[in-house]
Amino acid sequence: MVARIKDVRDVLEPGQTLTLHGWVRTRRDSKQGLSFIELNDGSCLGNLQIIVEGTTEGFEDQQKHITTGASLEVTGELKESPGKGQRVELHATKIVVLGSADPETYPLQKKRHTFEYLREIAHLRPRSNTFGAIARVRNAASAAIHNFFQSRHFLYVHTPIITTSDCEGAGQMFRVTTLDLARIAQIQTEIDYAQDFFGKAASLTVSGQLEAEIYATSTGPCYTFGPTFRAENSNTTRHLAEFWMVEPEIPFFDLQANMELAEEFIKYVISHVLETCAEDMDFFNQRIEKTVLETLKNIVDHDFERIPYTTAVEILEKADRKWEFPVQWGHDLQSEHERYLTEEHFKKPIILFDYPRTIKPFYMRCNEDGKTVRAMDVLVPRIGEIIGGSQREERLDVLEARMKECHLDPEDYWWYLDLRRFGTVPHAGFGLGFERLIQLLTGMQNIRDCIPFPRTPKNAEF
Ligand code: 4AD
Ligand code: MG
């Protein structure tokens, strides 16, 4: 039987004959002529100890190739382990080196490497403990997201990646073109997008929300979960140029209900990961961030605080703190402000709502005060903003006026306006930054380590 190490460690009983595949983490030779190989196949954090004797078939001629990073096929008998820290070990009867890894040049040696160095070898870093664990947590969180929405009968909608509308209206889009830009630069000063592949300027999407609204107002509650792209030149530990976003959209829903759903959603995903990734989560708590389990349990066990943006500004103004960026009503909160509120003032997640309309996109529902919109941001310790959402403007005339105020041409959004023209309904939704969630779950400092292949300014290797 061919087995994976997770099953071998967790469930299989001693006495069975097994074949395993994996990569050598370490090898130690005893004076008695035994070799102890720590084998890992990525199915779990823990390795399986393989015990090899001089008589093991294949060992003698291949033993010089059994070094860190080499891939093996091992057959043997599973036995109870006398050593501590493991239930079972494999006594090899046959060993085959499938691929050697020259110890002189293998970049991922046993010693601890910096995360900066590991980013340069992103093709090998998933073989390390940390990046294997992150990959499994990403996987478990993805499954939890689908479970959460599927069990509530939300429809999973695949929204387009190439788009001709700027959802957030922030102009931070990557252009998609087949035009020969080098040639155009030589012969004309302006680009004629009518000649381009789509007949007009197209970009990579910054959000699937507008299309999700189409389905929400047709087939009911839905969600998207896909890649989004932002050409913001932000070299921070919380920004990526390509990131994954989860965007539920719900008809017949208001801001209050939206906040409740966001809180329930975050708690559900965290609980699922704590339950299904216990070994990886203990690793993060011991080796990456000593407070990560405590923070996550605290999030799951307490109600989120909900306060209007205006109250948050008052708290920040009164805070005995020198801010790098001044606090002022009508300005976006900076990361330092968000983190103060959630980490120090409330010491738990908070949901800020009713933001000034001047700093929020056109689609958010205008409040009666004429100054604020029905926006909400969920802020969590160590990260700051993890979710942004709102109740949407469902009134045709108000939406058209807002578009003009935001210097958008309503004609470009004719289909979006049609949703208000024909059978409009109150609706709301939000977007969760998936990599920020992974940062929260793992305690990793830098968002670049929370996605397999990070894309950031001046960096799109692998
Ligand atoms: O607040 P944002 O811009 O909201 C939207 O895009 C809405 N259309 C969502 C909706 O209502 N359906 O982005 C949502 C979340 C942020 O809270 C943040 O977690 C994440 O996406 N995010 C980023 N994550 C990584 N890198 C970036 N550059 C990000 N920009 C936003
Ligand atoms: Mg936002």
Side-chain angles (χ1 to χ4, degrees):
M1 160 170 143
V2 177
R4 295 202 69 197
I5 289 175
K6 182 174 172 48
D7 296 325
V8 175
R9 282 173 53 100
D10 291 354
V11 289
L12 295 187
E13 291 303 329
Q16 308 199 42
T17 298
L18 302 174
T19 297
L20 295 173
H21 297 115
W23 291 266
V24 176
R25 282 294 174 81
T26 57
R27 167 181 168 182
R28 177 171 64 82
D29 296 335
S30 80
K31 291 198 192 79
Q32 288 76 31
L34 296 176
S35 280
F36 299 91
I37 299 168
E38 291 287 326
L39 196 72
N40 191 284
D41 67 359
S43 61
C44 59
L45 183 82
N47 306 319
L48 188 71
Q49 176 159 274
I50 313 286
I51 295 168
V52 187
E53 297 177 47
T55 54
T56 300
E57 187 188 333
F59 183 64
E60 207 173 344
D61 10 315
Q62 298 175 85
Q63 64 157 314
K64 69 170 189 295
H65 294 303
I66 303 177
T67 57
T68 298
S71 53
L72 304 182
E73 177 176 273
V74 193
T75 303
E77 194 191 336
L78 197 61
K79 293 192 176 170
E80 223 166 279
S81 175
K84 27 178 220 309
Q86 66 218 3
R87 192 176 61 93
V88 287
E89 58 192 25
L90 191 80
H91 290 246
T93 49
K94 183 176 172 199
I95 194 161
V96 182
V97 176
L98 299 172
S100 61
D102 179 2
E104 297 294 313
T105 53
Y106 184 56
L108 196 70
Q109 289 301 331
K110 177 69 190 153
K111 68 173 181 142
R112 251 191 156 184
H113 298 290
T114 65
F115 292 131
E116 287 76 17
Y117 171 71
L118 289 171
R119 253 169 252 150
E120 289 170 18
I121 53 163
H123 60 307
L124 295 172
R125 69 178 184 170
R127 295 187 191 182
S128 68
N129 281 336
T130 305
F131 288 87
I134 295 168
R136 287 183 295 271
V137 165
R138 255 187 97 96
N139 173 65
S142 305
I145 286 164
H146 285 295
N147 287 345
F148 179 84
F149 290 118
Q150 292 294 326
S151 66
R152 284 163 182 75
H153 309 297
F154 280 52
L155 199 78
Y156 178 31
V157 188
H158 302 97
T159 51
I161 287 172
I162 299 176
T163 176
T164 53
S165 38
D166 181 356
C167 173
E168 295 304 298
Q172 296 168 322
M173 305 184 83
F174 288 100
R175 177 107 317 146
V176 175
T177 181
T178 51
L179 293 173
D180 184 349
L181 298 179
R183 208 177 132 259
I184 291 172
Q186 284 173 354
I187 56 174
Q188 52 193 87
T189 48
E190 265 186 35
I191 295 175
D192 177 13
Y193 286 109
Q195 307 298 320
D196 205 348
F197 191 91
F198 297 106
K200 55 176 165 172
S203 306
L204 295 178
T205 188
V206 295
S207 160
Q209 178 197 321
L210 302 187
E211 290 89 355
E213 285 187 50
I214 295 177
Y215 275 80
T217 55
S218 308
T219 50
C222 66
Y223 67 106
T224 71
F225 183 8
T228 49
F229 308 85
R230 294 198 185 174
E232 36 191 349
N233 200 1
S234 312
N235 262 307
T236 78
T237 55
R238 307 181 319 140
H239 288 90
L240 291 164
E242 176 178 304
F243 63 97
W244 285 63
M245 189 153 51
V246 183
E247 295 183 276
E249 191 68 38
I250 312 95
F252 319 106
F253 222 54
D254 65 8
L255 191 69
Q256 211 57 38
N258 206 29
M259 292 196 264
E260 274 159 34
L261 184 73
E263 177 169 345
E264 204 186 328
F265 172 57
I266 291 186
K267 288 178 171 174
Y268 178 93
V269 177
I270 293 176
S271 302
H272 178 90
V273 169
L274 288 173
E275 237 166 70
T276 56
C277 301
E279 188 188 21
D280 292 320
M281 292 307 299
D282 281 338
F283 170 83
F284 289 123
N285 202 55
Q286 281 171 31
R287 305 292 287 270
I288 301 295
E289 170 60 57
K290 299 257 177 293
T291 61
V292 72
L293 285 181
E294 189 192 324
T295 303
L296 295 174
K297 285 181 183 142
N298 192 37
I299 293 176
V300 171
D301 290 343
H302 294 92
D303 289 342
F304 293 9
E305 193 74 35
R306 296 180 196 175
I307 54 166
Y309 163 91
T310 303
T311 310
V313 169
E314 285 162 12
I315 293 171
L316 292 167
E317 279 170 345
K318 284 194 207 120
D320 184 18
R321 184 63 63 103
K322 260 228 143 331
W323 303 114
E324 195 185 333
F325 299 92
V327 181
Q328 202 187 336
W329 199 96
H331 287 246
D332 249 331
L333 296 185
Q334 300 294 323
S335 172
E336 58 172 340
H337 309 135
E338 293 176 347
R339 294 189 57 176
Y340 171 82
L341 289 168
T342 169
E343 286 168 19
E344 297 180 48
H345 191 85
F346 290 106
K347 298 189 167 57
K348 58 178 178 172
I350 55 175
I351 310 183
L352 301 187
F353 59 93
D354 286 350
Y355 278 74
R357 61 196 278 167
T358 48
I359 56 170
K360 290 292 183 187
F362 69 92
Y363 54 72
M364 296 187 176
R365 194 178 200 280
C366 293
N367 279 319
E368 306 313 317
D369 63 11
K371 289 188 299 205
T372 60
V373 287
R374 312 229 75 195
M376 63 171 221
D377 275 7
V378 180
L379 316 181
V380 292
R382 284 194 36 255
I383 313 296
E385 179 191 340
I386 193 165
I387 281 181
S390 68
Q391 185 172 333
R392 320 306 188 189
E393 184 55 76
E394 85 283 14
R395 298 163 294 186
L396 181 62
D397 51 336
V398 183
L399 183 57
E400 277 177 328
R402 258 300 268 167
M403 282 182 164
K404 288 178 189 147
E405 190 178 292
C406 295
H407 309 291
L408 297 172
D409 184 354
E411 265 179 40
D412 292 342
Y413 294 84
W414 62 273
W415 49 270
Y416 190 71
L417 291 167
D418 264 5
L419 305 179
R420 279 73 182 165
R421 209 168 267 129
F422 309 117
T424 190
V425 296
H427 61 291
F430 60 82
L432 166 103
F434 187 58
E435 285 71 24
R436 291 196 186 168
L437 174 70
I438 301 302
Q439 258 188 298
L440 176 70
L441 287 167
T442 58
M444 292 298 289
Q445 281 285 330
N446 198 319
I447 198 165
R448 295 165 197 215
D449 299 325
C450 296
I451 187 164
F453 305 104
R455 270 83 181 93
T456 51
K458 303 279 179 287
N459 173 37
E461 193 70 40
F462 307 103

